Structure formats: structure tokens, C-alpha cells
Amino acid sequence: MEEEKKLPVHVSIIMDGNGRWAKERGQERIHGHFEGVASVRACAEEAARQGIRYLSLFAFSEENWNRPGAEVGALMELMGKSVCDEEKTLMDNNMRFLVLGNRARLSAGLEAAIRALEEKTAANTGTTLVVFLSYSGKWDLLQAARRMAAAGDDDLEKYLVTAGVPDPDLIIRTSGEQRLSNFLLWQAAYAELLFVDKYWPDFREADFRAALEEFAKRDRRYGKVK
Ligand code: FPP
């Protein structure tokens, strides 16, 4: 009998290479981010078609606040625009929307738009699209440790912003760089890592499907002997 294809429950993507994609075309970095939104839509729709329970995207790190003000402003504007424009994509695909990170740093307008979309999609039962915004792994561990100590508890996982979201089975990073860059440090403990030699704006549904094929070939042992 043919073995059932192993499907990851949670696929997470470090979307990298937007700036280089734009530079190679003689364009401003923000054009790479614009084109990156089309890849977000393509992968989200493919994840929904494939029945992936969680797709998460590293959209903006705590360190990204240190980029030039104009780029940070343009990225935040793009986030706000995407949150408004993509409501139909999410509803049509029965997707739930969730933003995780240091949300206190977001503007009141963006925070309100995010909250509204989270509420609007809360009852959807398909893929959950998690966007990590103003997130870093060390920040998450620190805020969790503080809250855990205050509660006199020892269940750290419960205090991470990802509580309730299963750990990623597969983490994909585009652009050829091979590092986690302060992403899900605790949660990535047993994730399969896949580094893809394409810039994020070039990563589309066929690449997402190829990543799932690669994942199905991996032998996961969690430190045990099979
Ligand atoms: C990394 O490329 C990409 C980002 C920091 C931003 C990712 C954001 C988007 C694709 C926009 C919208 C997102 C959502 C969820 C709607 P880089 O700028 O670090 O590229 P480089 O390494 O080539 O400079």
C-alpha cells in the first residue's frame, strides 16, 4: 500500500531577499516588498488548497525597526494596506488571521486594522495564517520568562506569544541565506529546515509545493532511534 504523504501541520517561512530582488532590477527596495505580497498571497492560497493547518510568515523582526525610517514607514504602510486588501482572500479561503509579536510597538491604526481582521476571520476553520510582526525569538523568550516568573510557574511554553500554535514542522528560508535570524528559537527545536535559493518575490505556489515534497522525504526522529 502506498504510504500516505506526510504533510506538515505548521509551515513557517522566513521571507528573505526582497531588497536584493529589487536591487537586481534597479528598483527601490520597497518594490521588492510590494512583489513579496503577491508571494504571500500565492503561498497562503496554496497552503489552504493543500490543507496545511498553520502557515506562518516572518514579516518584520524587532531588529527591522532599525532600518532607515523611510523603509520602516513604507513597510508598515504596506502591512496596513495588505490587511485591508487581503480580507477577501482570507474569507474566500476560509482562513483565520493572527498577528504575533510585540504589538505594543505598532501604530494604533495598524493595530486596530489587524484586530478587526482577526475578529472577522476568527470563526474560519481552514488554514490559520500567522504573521509575525515586530517579533524576535529572544524578545519572546524574555517576555515569557518575565510573565512566568511573575506567576511563579514553570511552564514557559504557556507564556510564549505562540501559545496554542503548534511548533513549526518545516521552516523555509528564501534567498539562499542559511540562518534563523532570531526567529522562533524555542519553537524551532525540532523543525526541519529548508533553505531555498530564490528571492522571496520569486517564491510562488510551485515552490511551496516543492517544499512540501521535500518535507515528505525527511526522516524525523526527535532524538529517538527508529
Ligand atoms: C526580507 O527581505 C523581507 C522583509 C523584511 C519584509 C517582508 C514583508 C513583506 C513580504 C510584506 C508584506 C507581508 C505581509 C504578511 C502582508 P529583505 O528586505 O531583508 O531583503 P534583503 O535581504 O535582500 O535586503
Side-chain angles (χ1 to χ4, degrees), residues 15-21 29 32-34 36-37 40 57-60 64 67 71 75 78-79 82-83 131 175 177 199-200:
M15 310 181 288
D16 195 18
N18 293 352
R20 281 165 283 168
W21 183 93
R29 295 176 54 82
H33 300 316
F34 281 140
V37 176
V40 168
L57 306 168
F58 196 15
F60 194 87
N64 286 155
R67 288 191 176 192
E71 185 175 345
L75 264 171
L78 185 58
M79 296 296 170
S82 302
V83 165
V131 174
S175 92
E177 309 285 0
Y199 295 138
W200 175 246

PDB file of all heavy atoms in Angstrom, residues 15-21 29 32-34 36-37 40 57-60 64 67 71 75 78-79 82-83 131 175 177 199-200, ligand 1:
ATOM      1  N   MET A  15      10.733  35.093   5.010  1.00  0.00           N
ATOM      2  CA  MET A  15      10.630  35.665   3.660  1.00  0.00           C
ATOM      3  C   MET A  15      11.820  36.599   3.451  1.00  0.00           C
ATOM      4  O   MET A  15      11.800  37.725   3.905  1.00  0.00           O
ATOM      5  CB  MET A  15       9.323  36.451   3.533  1.00  0.00           C
ATOM      6  CG  MET A  15       8.080  35.691   3.978  1.00  0.00           C
ATOM      7  SD  MET A  15       6.570  36.655   3.774  1.00  0.00           S
ATOM      8  CE  MET A  15       6.716  37.872   5.083  1.00  0.00           C
ATOM      9  N   ASP A  16      12.848  36.135   2.775  1.00  0.00           N
ATOM     10  CA  ASP A  16      14.063  36.942   2.662  1.00  0.00           C
ATOM     11  C   ASP A  16      14.407  37.222   1.196  1.00  0.00           C
ATOM     12  O   ASP A  16      14.125  36.408   0.322  1.00  0.00           O
ATOM     13  CB  ASP A  16      15.220  36.205   3.352  1.00  0.00           C
ATOM     14  CG  ASP A  16      16.405  37.118   3.601  1.00  0.00           C
ATOM     15  OD1 ASP A  16      16.238  38.355   3.567  1.00  0.00           O
ATOM     16  OD2 ASP A  16      17.518  36.593   3.818  1.00  0.00           O
ATOM     17  N   GLY A  17      15.020  38.369   0.955  1.00  0.00           N
ATOM     18  CA  GLY A  17      15.549  38.678  -0.370  1.00  0.00           C
ATOM     19  C   GLY A  17      14.756  39.699  -1.163  1.00  0.00           C
ATOM     20  O   GLY A  17      15.040  39.911  -2.347  1.00  0.00           O
ATOM     21  N   ASN A  18      13.802  40.352  -0.508  1.00  0.00           N
ATOM     22  CA  ASN A  18      13.016  41.357  -1.240  1.00  0.00           C
ATOM     23  C   ASN A  18      13.894  42.508  -1.741  1.00  0.00           C
ATOM     24  O   ASN A  18      13.737  42.966  -2.867  1.00  0.00           O
ATOM     25  CB  ASN A  18      11.934  41.958  -0.331  1.00  0.00           C
ATOM     26  CG  ASN A  18      10.881  40.948   0.055  1.00  0.00           C
ATOM     27  OD1 ASN A  18      10.859  39.846  -0.460  1.00  0.00           O
ATOM     28  ND2 ASN A  18      10.005  41.330   0.967  1.00  0.00           N
ATOM     29  N   GLY A  19      14.795  42.955  -0.874  1.00  0.00           N
ATOM     30  CA  GLY A  19      15.667  44.082  -1.228  1.00  0.00           C
ATOM     31  C   GLY A  19      16.574  43.723  -2.395  1.00  0.00           C
ATOM     32  O   GLY A  19      16.724  44.496  -3.347  1.00  0.00           O
ATOM     33  N   ARG A  20      17.174  42.532  -2.325  1.00  0.00           N
ATOM     34  CA  ARG A  20      18.087  42.113  -3.400  1.00  0.00           C
ATOM     35  C   ARG A  20      17.337  41.897  -4.711  1.00  0.00           C
ATOM     36  O   ARG A  20      17.833  42.206  -5.784  1.00  0.00           O
ATOM     37  CB  ARG A  20      18.834  40.827  -2.984  1.00  0.00           C
ATOM     38  CG  ARG A  20      20.000  41.113  -2.045  1.00  0.00           C
ATOM     39  CD  ARG A  20      20.486  39.868  -1.353  1.00  0.00           C
ATOM     40  NE  ARG A  20      19.579  39.490  -0.273  1.00  0.00           N
ATOM     41  CZ  ARG A  20      19.621  38.319   0.364  1.00  0.00           C
ATOM     42  NH1 ARG A  20      20.507  37.413   0.006  1.00  0.00           N
ATOM     43  NH2 ARG A  20      18.780  38.078   1.336  1.00  0.00           N
ATOM     44  N   TRP A  21      16.123  41.381  -4.605  1.00  0.00           N
ATOM     45  CA  TRP A  21      15.289  41.188  -5.806  1.00  0.00           C
ATOM     46  C   TRP A  21      15.093  42.534  -6.507  1.00  0.00           C
ATOM     47  O   TRP A  21      15.232  42.640  -7.726  1.00  0.00           O
ATOM     48  CB  TRP A  21      13.940  40.595  -5.397  1.00  0.00           C
ATOM     49  CG  TRP A  21      13.009  40.278  -6.526  1.00  0.00           C
ATOM     50  CD1 TRP A  21      12.884  39.079  -7.171  1.00  0.00           C
ATOM     51  CD2 TRP A  21      12.047  41.165  -7.134  1.00  0.00           C
ATOM     52  NE1 TRP A  21      11.912  39.160  -8.147  1.00  0.00           N
ATOM     53  CE2 TRP A  21      11.385  40.427  -8.142  1.00  0.00           C
ATOM     54  CE3 TRP A  21      11.694  42.487  -6.916  1.00  0.00           C
ATOM     55  CZ2 TRP A  21      10.381  40.981  -8.938  1.00  0.00           C
ATOM     56  CZ3 TRP A  21      10.703  43.049  -7.705  1.00  0.00           C
ATOM     57  CH2 TRP A  21      10.056  42.290  -8.703  1.00  0.00           C
ATOM     58  N   ARG A  29      14.081  49.299  -2.860  1.00  0.00           N
ATOM     59  CA  ARG A  29      13.819  48.091  -2.066  1.00  0.00           C
ATOM     60  C   ARG A  29      12.318  47.823  -1.873  1.00  0.00           C
ATOM     61  O   ARG A  29      11.874  46.680  -1.898  1.00  0.00           O
ATOM     62  CB  ARG A  29      14.480  48.234  -0.688  1.00  0.00           C
ATOM     63  CG  ARG A  29      15.996  48.286  -0.740  1.00  0.00           C
ATOM     64  CD  ARG A  29      16.569  48.532   0.663  1.00  0.00           C
ATOM     65  NE  ARG A  29      16.079  47.563   1.621  1.00  0.00           N
ATOM     66  CZ  ARG A  29      16.592  46.336   1.780  1.00  0.00           C
ATOM     67  NH1 ARG A  29      17.616  45.966   1.057  1.00  0.00           N
ATOM     68  NH2 ARG A  29      16.073  45.519   2.666  1.00  0.00           N
ATOM     69  N   GLY A  32      10.477  45.422  -3.999  1.00  0.00           N
ATOM     70  CA  GLY A  32      10.641  44.008  -3.646  1.00  0.00           C
ATOM     71  C   GLY A  32       9.596  43.588  -2.622  1.00  0.00           C
ATOM     72  O   GLY A  32       9.029  42.496  -2.696  1.00  0.00           O
ATOM     73  N   HIS A  33       9.329  44.481  -1.664  1.00  0.00           N
ATOM     74  CA  HIS A  33       8.314  44.185  -0.648  1.00  0.00           C
ATOM     75  C   HIS A  33       6.926  44.109  -1.295  1.00  0.00           C
ATOM     76  O   HIS A  33       6.134  43.235  -0.970  1.00  0.00           O
ATOM     77  CB  HIS A  33       8.335  45.229   0.471  1.00  0.00           C
ATOM     78  CG  HIS A  33       9.647  45.321   1.199  1.00  0.00           C
ATOM     79  ND1 HIS A  33      10.350  44.202   1.594  1.00  0.00           N
ATOM     80  CD2 HIS A  33      10.396  46.394   1.602  1.00  0.00           C
ATOM     81  CE1 HIS A  33      11.467  44.586   2.219  1.00  0.00           C
ATOM     82  NE2 HIS A  33      11.515  45.905   2.221  1.00  0.00           N
ATOM     83  N   PHE A  34       6.648  45.037  -2.231  1.00  0.00           N
ATOM     84  CA  PHE A  34       5.349  45.003  -2.945  1.00  0.00           C
ATOM     85  C   PHE A  34       5.162  43.659  -3.630  1.00  0.00           C
ATOM     86  O   PHE A  34       4.121  43.029  -3.538  1.00  0.00           O
ATOM     87  CB  PHE A  34       5.282  46.101  -4.026  1.00  0.00           C
ATOM     88  CG  PHE A  34       4.974  47.477  -3.507  1.00  0.00           C
ATOM     89  CD1 PHE A  34       5.623  48.600  -4.022  1.00  0.00           C
ATOM     90  CD2 PHE A  34       4.027  47.664  -2.500  1.00  0.00           C
ATOM     91  CE1 PHE A  34       5.340  49.878  -3.541  1.00  0.00           C
ATOM     92  CE2 PHE A  34       3.736  48.939  -2.018  1.00  0.00           C
ATOM     93  CZ  PHE A  34       4.405  50.045  -2.545  1.00  0.00           C
ATOM     94  N   GLY A  36       6.649  40.984  -2.957  1.00  0.00           N
ATOM     95  CA  GLY A  36       6.607  39.946  -1.923  1.00  0.00           C
ATOM     96  C   GLY A  36       5.191  39.675  -1.438  1.00  0.00           C
ATOM     97  O   GLY A  36       4.872  38.552  -1.029  1.00  0.00           O
ATOM     98  N   VAL A  37       4.344  40.673  -1.479  1.00  0.00           N
ATOM     99  CA  VAL A  37       2.955  40.475  -1.058  1.00  0.00           C
ATOM    100  C   VAL A  37       2.251  39.486  -1.994  1.00  0.00           C
ATOM    101  O   VAL A  37       1.439  38.663  -1.556  1.00  0.00           O
ATOM    102  CB  VAL A  37       2.174  41.819  -0.994  1.00  0.00           C
ATOM    103  CG1 VAL A  37       0.711  41.584  -0.663  1.00  0.00           C
ATOM    104  CG2 VAL A  37       2.806  42.744   0.039  1.00  0.00           C
ATOM    105  N   VAL A  40       3.140  36.177  -0.841  1.00  0.00           N
ATOM    106  CA  VAL A  40       2.378  35.857   0.377  1.00  0.00           C
ATOM    107  C   VAL A  40       1.013  35.302  -0.028  1.00  0.00           C
ATOM    108  O   VAL A  40       0.572  34.250   0.454  1.00  0.00           O
ATOM    109  CB  VAL A  40       2.192  37.114   1.272  1.00  0.00           C
ATOM    110  CG1 VAL A  40       1.162  36.854   2.366  1.00  0.00           C
ATOM    111  CG2 VAL A  40       3.524  37.536   1.890  1.00  0.00           C
ATOM    112  N   LEU A  57       4.429  33.453   8.748  1.00  0.00           N
ATOM    113  CA  LEU A  57       5.360  34.252   7.954  1.00  0.00           C
ATOM    114  C   LEU A  57       6.082  35.247   8.843  1.00  0.00           C
ATOM    115  O   LEU A  57       5.451  35.961   9.629  1.00  0.00           O
ATOM    116  CB  LEU A  57       4.574  35.027   6.884  1.00  0.00           C
ATOM    117  CG  LEU A  57       3.666  34.187   5.975  1.00  0.00           C
ATOM    118  CD1 LEU A  57       2.741  35.101   5.171  1.00  0.00           C
ATOM    119  CD2 LEU A  57       4.500  33.319   5.042  1.00  0.00           C
ATOM    120  N   PHE A  58       7.412  35.270   8.715  1.00  0.00           N
ATOM    121  CA  PHE A  58       8.210  36.240   9.475  1.00  0.00           C
ATOM    122  C   PHE A  58       8.245  37.519   8.633  1.00  0.00           C
ATOM    123  O   PHE A  58       9.002  37.610   7.668  1.00  0.00           O
ATOM    124  CB  PHE A  58       9.623  35.675   9.675  1.00  0.00           C
ATOM    125  CG  PHE A  58      10.448  36.352  10.732  1.00  0.00           C
ATOM    126  CD1 PHE A  58       9.887  37.205  11.674  1.00  0.00           C
ATOM    127  CD2 PHE A  58      11.816  36.102  10.800  1.00  0.00           C
ATOM    128  CE1 PHE A  58      10.663  37.799  12.654  1.00  0.00           C
ATOM    129  CE2 PHE A  58      12.610  36.693  11.783  1.00  0.00           C
ATOM    130  CZ  PHE A  58      12.033  37.544  12.700  1.00  0.00           C
ATOM    131  N   ALA A  59       7.381  38.467   8.981  1.00  0.00           N
ATOM    132  CA  ALA A  59       7.215  39.653   8.135  1.00  0.00           C
ATOM    133  C   ALA A  59       8.059  40.845   8.584  1.00  0.00           C
ATOM    134  O   ALA A  59       8.465  41.665   7.768  1.00  0.00           O
ATOM    135  CB  ALA A  59       5.743  40.067   8.100  1.00  0.00           C
ATOM    136  N   PHE A  60       8.314  40.948   9.900  1.00  0.00           N
ATOM    137  CA  PHE A  60       9.062  42.108  10.403  1.00  0.00           C
ATOM    138  C   PHE A  60       9.617  41.758  11.773  1.00  0.00           C
ATOM    139  O   PHE A  60       8.872  41.384  12.680  1.00  0.00           O
ATOM    140  CB  PHE A  60       8.103  43.315  10.506  1.00  0.00           C
ATOM    141  CG  PHE A  60       8.802  44.630  10.684  1.00  0.00           C
ATOM    142  CD1 PHE A  60       9.231  45.365   9.578  1.00  0.00           C
ATOM    143  CD2 PHE A  60       9.022  45.149  11.953  1.00  0.00           C
ATOM    144  CE1 PHE A  60       9.869  46.592   9.736  1.00  0.00           C
ATOM    145  CE2 PHE A  60       9.664  46.372  12.121  1.00  0.00           C
ATOM    146  CZ  PHE A  60      10.077  47.092  11.016  1.00  0.00           C
ATOM    147  N   ASN A  64      14.233  44.828  12.682  1.00  0.00           N
ATOM    148  CA  ASN A  64      13.895  45.583  11.468  1.00  0.00           C
ATOM    149  C   ASN A  64      13.500  47.045  11.764  1.00  0.00           C
ATOM    150  O   ASN A  64      13.533  47.894  10.873  1.00  0.00           O
ATOM    151  CB  ASN A  64      12.762  44.906  10.677  1.00  0.00           C
ATOM    152  CG  ASN A  64      13.200  43.664   9.929  1.00  0.00           C
ATOM    153  OD1 ASN A  64      12.390  42.779   9.634  1.00  0.00           O
ATOM    154  ND2 ASN A  64      14.483  43.564   9.584  1.00  0.00           N
ATOM    155  N   ARG A  67      15.977  49.692  10.587  1.00  0.00           N
ATOM    156  CA  ARG A  67      16.200  50.047   9.175  1.00  0.00           C
ATOM    157  C   ARG A  67      15.897  51.533   8.982  1.00  0.00           C
ATOM    158  O   ARG A  67      15.247  52.152   9.826  1.00  0.00           O
ATOM    159  CB  ARG A  67      15.296  49.196   8.280  1.00  0.00           C
ATOM    160  CG  ARG A  67      15.745  47.753   8.226  1.00  0.00           C
ATOM    161  CD  ARG A  67      15.011  46.986   7.147  1.00  0.00           C
ATOM    162  NE  ARG A  67      15.548  45.625   7.084  1.00  0.00           N
ATOM    163  CZ  ARG A  67      15.298  44.765   6.127  1.00  0.00           C
ATOM    164  NH1 ARG A  67      14.510  45.098   5.130  1.00  0.00           N
ATOM    165  NH2 ARG A  67      15.832  43.561   6.137  1.00  0.00           N
ATOM    166  N   GLU A  71      12.054  53.186   4.961  1.00  0.00           N
ATOM    167  CA  GLU A  71      11.704  51.788   4.643  1.00  0.00           C
ATOM    168  C   GLU A  71      10.749  51.227   5.687  1.00  0.00           C
ATOM    169  O   GLU A  71       9.781  50.524   5.350  1.00  0.00           O
ATOM    170  CB  GLU A  71      12.960  50.915   4.528  1.00  0.00           C
ATOM    171  CG  GLU A  71      12.593  49.490   4.086  1.00  0.00           C
ATOM    172  CD  GLU A  71      13.777  48.574   3.815  1.00  0.00           C
ATOM    173  OE1 GLU A  71      14.912  49.072   3.678  1.00  0.00           O
ATOM    174  OE2 GLU A  71      13.559  47.353   3.728  1.00  0.00           O
ATOM    175  N   LEU A  75       7.085  49.898   4.854  1.00  0.00           N
ATOM    176  CA  LEU A  75       6.705  48.517   5.177  1.00  0.00           C
ATOM    177  C   LEU A  75       5.442  48.482   6.038  1.00  0.00           C
ATOM    178  O   LEU A  75       4.544  47.668   5.809  1.00  0.00           O
ATOM    179  CB  LEU A  75       7.848  47.822   5.922  1.00  0.00           C
ATOM    180  CG  LEU A  75       8.788  46.970   5.080  1.00  0.00           C
ATOM    181  CD1 LEU A  75       9.988  46.530   5.904  1.00  0.00           C
ATOM    182  CD2 LEU A  75       8.084  45.755   4.491  1.00  0.00           C
ATOM    183  N   LEU A  78       2.556  49.210   3.937  1.00  0.00           N
ATOM    184  CA  LEU A  78       2.239  48.035   3.119  1.00  0.00           C
ATOM    185  C   LEU A  78       1.490  46.978   3.940  1.00  0.00           C
ATOM    186  O   LEU A  78       0.558  46.332   3.449  1.00  0.00           O
ATOM    187  CB  LEU A  78       3.544  47.459   2.547  1.00  0.00           C
ATOM    188  CG  LEU A  78       3.442  46.297   1.565  1.00  0.00           C
ATOM    189  CD1 LEU A  78       2.584  46.681   0.353  1.00  0.00           C
ATOM    190  CD2 LEU A  78       4.836  45.875   1.096  1.00  0.00           C
ATOM    191  N   MET A  79       1.892  46.832   5.201  1.00  0.00           N
ATOM    192  CA  MET A  79       1.198  45.886   6.084  1.00  0.00           C
ATOM    193  C   MET A  79      -0.263  46.314   6.229  1.00  0.00           C
ATOM    194  O   MET A  79      -1.174  45.506   6.104  1.00  0.00           O
ATOM    195  CB  MET A  79       1.810  45.868   7.496  1.00  0.00           C
ATOM    196  CG  MET A  79       3.220  45.382   7.589  1.00  0.00           C
ATOM    197  SD  MET A  79       3.396  43.663   7.114  1.00  0.00           S
ATOM    198  CE  MET A  79       5.181  43.591   7.053  1.00  0.00           C
ATOM    199  N   SER A  82      -2.158  45.703   3.062  1.00  0.00           N
ATOM    200  CA  SER A  82      -2.394  44.272   2.839  1.00  0.00           C
ATOM    201  C   SER A  82      -3.509  43.761   3.756  1.00  0.00           C
ATOM    202  O   SER A  82      -4.345  42.957   3.341  1.00  0.00           O
ATOM    203  CB  SER A  82      -1.120  43.469   3.095  1.00  0.00           C
ATOM    204  OG  SER A  82      -0.090  43.924   2.252  1.00  0.00           O
ATOM    205  N   VAL A  83      -3.506  44.241   5.000  1.00  0.00           N
ATOM    206  CA  VAL A  83      -4.528  43.809   5.958  1.00  0.00           C
ATOM    207  C   VAL A  83      -5.917  44.174   5.417  1.00  0.00           C
ATOM    208  O   VAL A  83      -6.865  43.387   5.504  1.00  0.00           O
ATOM    209  CB  VAL A  83      -4.266  44.435   7.357  1.00  0.00           C
ATOM    210  CG1 VAL A  83      -5.472  44.313   8.261  1.00  0.00           C
ATOM    211  CG2 VAL A  83      -3.046  43.776   7.998  1.00  0.00           C
ATOM    212  N   VAL A 131       1.005  35.958  11.039  1.00  0.00           N
ATOM    213  CA  VAL A 131       2.025  36.900  10.593  1.00  0.00           C
ATOM    214  C   VAL A 131       2.810  37.365  11.825  1.00  0.00           C
ATOM    215  O   VAL A 131       2.227  37.889  12.778  1.00  0.00           O
ATOM    216  CB  VAL A 131       1.392  38.095   9.844  1.00  0.00           C
ATOM    217  CG1 VAL A 131       2.452  39.143   9.516  1.00  0.00           C
ATOM    218  CG2 VAL A 131       0.698  37.614   8.567  1.00  0.00           C
ATOM    219  N   SER A 175      16.125  33.078  -0.332  1.00  0.00           N
ATOM    220  CA  SER A 175      17.249  33.975  -0.671  1.00  0.00           C
ATOM    221  C   SER A 175      18.633  33.336  -0.505  1.00  0.00           C
ATOM    222  O   SER A 175      19.633  34.002  -0.738  1.00  0.00           O
ATOM    223  CB  SER A 175      17.214  35.296   0.109  1.00  0.00           C
ATOM    224  OG  SER A 175      17.972  35.224   1.306  1.00  0.00           O
ATOM    225  N   GLU A 177      20.245  32.456   2.171  1.00  0.00           N
ATOM    226  CA  GLU A 177      20.884  32.604   3.488  1.00  0.00           C
ATOM    227  C   GLU A 177      20.492  31.403   4.347  1.00  0.00           C
ATOM    228  O   GLU A 177      19.351  30.959   4.313  1.00  0.00           O
ATOM    229  CB  GLU A 177      20.408  33.872   4.198  1.00  0.00           C
ATOM    230  CG  GLU A 177      20.481  35.145   3.384  1.00  0.00           C
ATOM    231  CD  GLU A 177      21.898  35.684   3.247  1.00  0.00           C
ATOM    232  OE1 GLU A 177      22.826  35.061   3.795  1.00  0.00           O
ATOM    233  OE2 GLU A 177      22.050  36.720   2.580  1.00  0.00           O
ATOM    234  N   TYR A 199      14.847  34.446  -4.305  1.00  0.00           N
ATOM    235  CA  TYR A 199      14.395  35.577  -3.504  1.00  0.00           C
ATOM    236  C   TYR A 199      12.897  35.425  -3.248  1.00  0.00           C
ATOM    237  O   TYR A 199      12.176  34.851  -4.064  1.00  0.00           O
ATOM    238  CB  TYR A 199      14.675  36.892  -4.232  1.00  0.00           C
ATOM    239  CG  TYR A 199      16.140  37.183  -4.421  1.00  0.00           C
ATOM    240  CD1 TYR A 199      16.625  37.698  -5.613  1.00  0.00           C
ATOM    241  CD2 TYR A 199      17.039  36.940  -3.388  1.00  0.00           C
ATOM    242  CE1 TYR A 199      17.975  37.975  -5.784  1.00  0.00           C
ATOM    243  CE2 TYR A 199      18.393  37.211  -3.547  1.00  0.00           C
ATOM    244  CZ  TYR A 199      18.858  37.722  -4.751  1.00  0.00           C
ATOM    245  OH  TYR A 199      20.187  37.985  -4.903  1.00  0.00           O
ATOM    246  N   TRP A 200      12.429  35.989  -2.120  1.00  0.00           N
ATOM    247  CA  TRP A 200      11.025  35.813  -1.744  1.00  0.00           C
ATOM    248  C   TRP A 200      10.044  36.207  -2.864  1.00  0.00           C
ATOM    249  O   TRP A 200       9.091  35.469  -3.132  1.00  0.00           O
ATOM    250  CB  TRP A 200      10.716  36.533  -0.425  1.00  0.00           C
ATOM    251  CG  TRP A 200       9.258  36.472  -0.093  1.00  0.00           C
ATOM    252  CD1 TRP A 200       8.378  37.499  -0.039  1.00  0.00           C
ATOM    253  CD2 TRP A 200       8.494  35.271   0.196  1.00  0.00           C
ATOM    254  NE1 TRP A 200       7.112  37.037   0.260  1.00  0.00           N
ATOM    255  CE2 TRP A 200       7.166  35.678   0.405  1.00  0.00           C
ATOM    256  CE3 TRP A 200       8.813  33.908   0.283  1.00  0.00           C
ATOM    257  CZ2 TRP A 200       6.153  34.769   0.706  1.00  0.00           C
ATOM    258  CZ3 TRP A 200       7.793  33.007   0.574  1.00  0.00           C
ATOM    259  CH2 TRP A 200       6.486  33.436   0.779  1.00  0.00           C
TER     260      TRP A 200
HETATM  261  C1  FPP B   1      13.004  40.439   3.862  1.00  0.00           C
HETATM  262  O1  FPP B   1      13.661  40.933   2.728  1.00  0.00           O
HETATM  263  C2  FPP B   1      11.620  40.876   3.909  1.00  0.00           C
HETATM  264  C3  FPP B   1      11.077  41.712   4.816  1.00  0.00           C
HETATM  265  C4  FPP B   1      11.855  42.330   5.916  1.00  0.00           C
HETATM  266  C5  FPP B   1       9.664  42.117   4.741  1.00  0.00           C
HETATM  267  C6  FPP B   1       8.681  41.075   4.366  1.00  0.00           C
HETATM  268  C7  FPP B   1       7.420  41.743   4.144  1.00  0.00           C
HETATM  269  C8  FPP B   1       6.586  41.517   3.114  1.00  0.00           C
HETATM  270  C9  FPP B   1       6.740  40.493   2.086  1.00  0.00           C
HETATM  271  C10 FPP B   1       5.434  42.438   3.011  1.00  0.00           C
HETATM  272  C11 FPP B   1       4.108  42.051   3.378  1.00  0.00           C
HETATM  273  C12 FPP B   1       3.865  40.971   4.321  1.00  0.00           C
HETATM  274  C13 FPP B   1       2.629  40.519   4.623  1.00  0.00           C
HETATM  275  C14 FPP B   1       2.476  39.410   5.583  1.00  0.00           C
HETATM  276  C15 FPP B   1       1.409  41.077   4.000  1.00  0.00           C
HETATM  277  P1  FPP B   1      14.864  41.946   2.917  1.00  0.00           P
HETATM  278  O2  FPP B   1      14.317  43.326   2.843  1.00  0.00           O
HETATM  279  O3  FPP B   1      15.590  41.624   4.172  1.00  0.00           O
HETATM  280  O4  FPP B   1      15.715  41.630   1.652  1.00  0.00           O
HETATM  281  P2  FPP B   1      17.301  41.666   1.505  1.00  0.00           P
HETATM  282  O5  FPP B   1      17.838  40.632   2.457  1.00  0.00           O
HETATM  283  O6  FPP B   1      17.517  41.304   0.076  1.00  0.00           O
HETATM  284  O7  FPP B   1      17.725  43.062   1.838  1.00  0.00           O
END
